[in-house]
């Protein structure tokens, strides 16, 4: 099936009002646990806050905890969603979205938007935005990232795997071999490493340790049996074999997901492509605020490059310094845009953030990493598993795109007939644990 023409109404949105959806245990169980961990983190930071900001800082932390406690009560008692009251630049867009959803909900069922009633994508994004709002309303702790220590700890726990991968990468980029077949094999390897790095997601583990400790290269063969869709060859052909000979720089865009080991794998893939001159420039897109526990922010990016560069491990330090040079010489760019932390799916990007849409449209390829990007790409709906990617993406296609995603929610498209049933027979939680994965490519609508 080619194109995005739908012959029937869109599938319903995933939502916690359906107990069969993963949204239900997420809102009922996982989100309160995450909130409890945030409160505990702020309590544990009391002495640190006192040292940096004095008693006024401690009072700020108490105010934040109070607001988060109220948020937890609202969530667990299914209170209506309320407007945001902080002064961040996106408040108007968030409150406008709530107004629209309120009209829809009242029209459909006579109720106001609430945790167990509204679409899951909206509710879960709203949850993290409320955490940020509680912090933003403080006087001295506006820049606090309540997930920072968890992200840094996960990175440190993953250092053995990072060291192994850094050593391998250094051997690759220092080699003078330019054989296309060899580059092809390395590309297939590194794109799978970047894929399985997506298992390291602190939001799905409710903030529990989810680092990478094993050698990421030696486990690839054993993981292939869980790769439900693998368009790696098509991506290689599009990115390298089918490229024109014009002088226009080849731009790769990577919409990032998790900090820590996953970010490191993304940077390894980007480094290989630039070092071997398979692409000319890489644009990375990160979040503008702490998001879904482990999503990459500007501070995470900077901390990662600094930590790598300062490592006592020679290979790790080498890649860290090289990557800082990539930023300095303009072959790598990091962008932070408020759209990534709005509740909108990507079908709304061209109207809500046309500047971002135009930037992505300059890409030879866009790589969307992880679960949240996948959900937004396909509007977080209960599509039949065999729905063609070109249908589920609807009107969103700024440029050829691919997804690298381990499954952690009950949304999947582009599967072959019988694949979902086979996976279900093997593991009843096949969509929820990151055990199965997809590499999906869309060249055109």
């Amino acid at each position: 099936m080619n194109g995005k023409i739908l012959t029937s109404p869109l599938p319903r949105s995933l939502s916690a009002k359906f107990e069969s959806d993963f949204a239900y245990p997420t809102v009922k169980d996982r989100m309160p646990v995450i909130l409890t961990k945030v409160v505990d983190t702020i309590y544990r930071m009391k002495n640190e806050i006192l040292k940096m900001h004095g008693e006024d800082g401690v009072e700020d932390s108490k105010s934040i905890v109070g607001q988060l406690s109220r948020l937890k009560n609202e969530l667990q008692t299914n209170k209506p969603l309320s407007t945001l009251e902080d002064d961040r630049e996106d408040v108007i867009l968030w409150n406008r979205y709530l107004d629209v959803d309120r009209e829809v909900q009242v029209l459909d069922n006579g109720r106001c938007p609430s945790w167990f009633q509204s679409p899951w994508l909206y509710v879960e994004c709203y949850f993290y935005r409320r955490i940020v709002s509680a912090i933003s309303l403080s006087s001295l702790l506006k820049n606090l990232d309540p997930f920072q220590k968890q992200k840094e700890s996960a990175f440190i726990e993953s250092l053995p795997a990072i060291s192994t991968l850094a050593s391998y990468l250094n051997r690759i980029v220092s080699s003078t071999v330019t054989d296309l077949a060899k580059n092809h094999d390395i590309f297939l390897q590194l794109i799978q490493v970047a894929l399985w790095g997506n298992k390291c997601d602190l939001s799905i583990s409710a903030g529990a340790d989810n680092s990478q400790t094993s050698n990421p290269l030696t486990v690839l063969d054993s993981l292939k049996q869980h790769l439900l869709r693998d368009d790696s060859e098509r991506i290689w052909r599009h990115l390298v074999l089918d490229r024109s000979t014009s002088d226009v720089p080849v731009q790769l865009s990577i919409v990032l997901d998790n900090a820590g080991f996953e970010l490191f794998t993304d940077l390894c893939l980007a480094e290989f492509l630039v070092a071997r001159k398979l692409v000319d420039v890489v644009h990375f897109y990160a979040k503008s605020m702490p998001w879904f526990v482990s999503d990459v922010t500007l501070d995470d990016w900077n901390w990662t490059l600094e930590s790598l560069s300062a490592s006592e491990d020679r290979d790790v330090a080498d890649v860290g310094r090289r990557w800082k040079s990539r930023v300095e010489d303009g072959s790598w760019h990091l962008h932070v845009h408020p759209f990534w932390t709005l509740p909108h799916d990507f079908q709304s990007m061209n109207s809500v953030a046309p500047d971002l849409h135009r930037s992505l449209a300059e890409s030879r390829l866009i790589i969307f990493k992880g679960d949240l990007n996948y959900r937004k790409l396909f509007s977080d709906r209960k599509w039949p598993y065999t729905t063609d990617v070109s249908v589920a993406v609807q009107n969103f296609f700024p440029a050829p795109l691919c997804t690298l995603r381990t499954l952690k929610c009950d949304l999947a498209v582009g599967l072959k007939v019988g694949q979902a049933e086979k996976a279900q027979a093997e593991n009843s939680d096949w969509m929820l644990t990151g055990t199965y994965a997809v590499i999906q490519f869309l060249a055109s609508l």
Side-chain angles (χ1 to χ4, degrees), residues 191-211:
I191 198 171
Q192 287 196 43
V193 170
L195 165 70
W196 293 109
N198 182 241
K199 293 186 70 167
C200 302
D201 186 331
L202 291 172
S203 70
I204 199 68
S205 62
D209 177 58
N210 202 8
S211 55

Side-chain angles (χ1 to χ4, degrees), residues 255-407:
V255 184
L256 299 168
D257 189 20
N258 297 302
F261 180 74
E262 181 178 359
L263 174 59
F264 186 81
T265 65
D266 298 336
L267 299 181
C268 286
L269 176 61
E271 172 61 30
F272 163 71
L273 292 171
V274 172
R276 288 297 173 86
K277 302 187 186 307
L278 301 175
V279 304
D280 299 303
V281 61
V282 183
H283 290 254
F284 299 90
Y285 293 86
K287 302 299 192 299
S288 60
M289 63 184 75
W291 203 247
F292 278 63
V293 184
S294 52
D295 282 20
V296 180
T297 65
L298 174 60
D299 286 343
D300 296 327
W301 170 278
N302 290 334
W303 182 89
T304 299
L305 295 190
E306 290 298 332
S307 297
L308 293 171
S309 302
S311 174
E312 295 180 357
D313 183 307
R314 180 175 177 179
D315 284 311
V316 173
D318 282 349
V319 298
R321 287 191 288 268
R322 188 182 306 119
W323 293 346
K324 289 175 73 173
S325 296
R326 293 289 186 203
V327 175
E328 291 167 3
D329 68 23
S331 51
W332 283 10
H333 299 266
L334 180 71
H335 305 272
V336 174
H337 195 287
F339 180 81
W340 303 116
T341 51
L342 290 175
H344 298 280
D345 57 27
F346 292 164
Q347 286 67 34
S348 303
M349 184 187 293
N350 200 24
S351 59
V352 176
D355 59 325
L356 177 60
H357 194 277
R358 286 193 298 271
S359 296
L360 292 175
E362 297 175 1
S363 310
R364 174 68 181 169
L365 176 71
I366 310 168
I367 298 177
F368 289 101
K369 291 297 306 287
D371 226 48
L372 180 59
N373 284 322
Y374 196 91
R375 289 170 60 189
K376 289 193 170 190
L377 184 61
F378 300 117
S379 64
D380 212 36
R381 296 181 179 275
K382 201 168 182 63
W383 296 99
Y385 302 131
T386 55
T387 304
D388 194 276
V389 171
S390 64
V391 173
V393 82
Q394 300 170 72
N395 65 342
F396 179 74
F397 188 77
L401 57 88
C402 75
T403 65
L404 305 183
R405 176 234 183 180
T406 58
L407 276 63

Side-chain angles (χ1 to χ4, degrees), residues 94-111:
W94 268 97
N95 289 341
R96 186 181 300 157
Y97 193 97
L98 174 59
D99 290 340
V100 172
D101 189 50
R102 185 180 289 118
E103 292 177 8
V104 171
Q105 295 291 340
V106 170
L107 207 64
D108 285 353
N109 51 52
R111 300 180 182 180

Side-chain angles (χ1 to χ4, degrees), residues 63-64 67-68 86 129-138:
S63 175
I64 293 170
Q67 291 202 53
L68 295 179
D86 60 82
R129 186 58 182 81
R130 281 286 301 274
I131 293 174
V132 171
S133 183
I135 295 169
S136 296
L137 287 168
S138 69

Side-chain angles (χ1 to χ4, degrees), residues 124-161:
E124 193 166 15
C125 289
Y126 175 82
F127 169 76
Y128 286 99
R129 186 58 182 81
R130 281 286 301 274
I131 293 174
V132 171
S133 183
I135 295 169
S136 296
L137 287 168
S138 69
S139 299
L140 301 172
L141 303 177
K142 290 179 180 293
N143 296 320
L144 173 68
D145 181 348
F147 309 120
Q148 177 183 349
K149 294 184 185 300
Q150 293 170 259
K151 289 182 281 190
E152 293 177 0
S153 176
F155 173 89
I156 292 168
E157 291 297 321
S158 298
L159 279 174

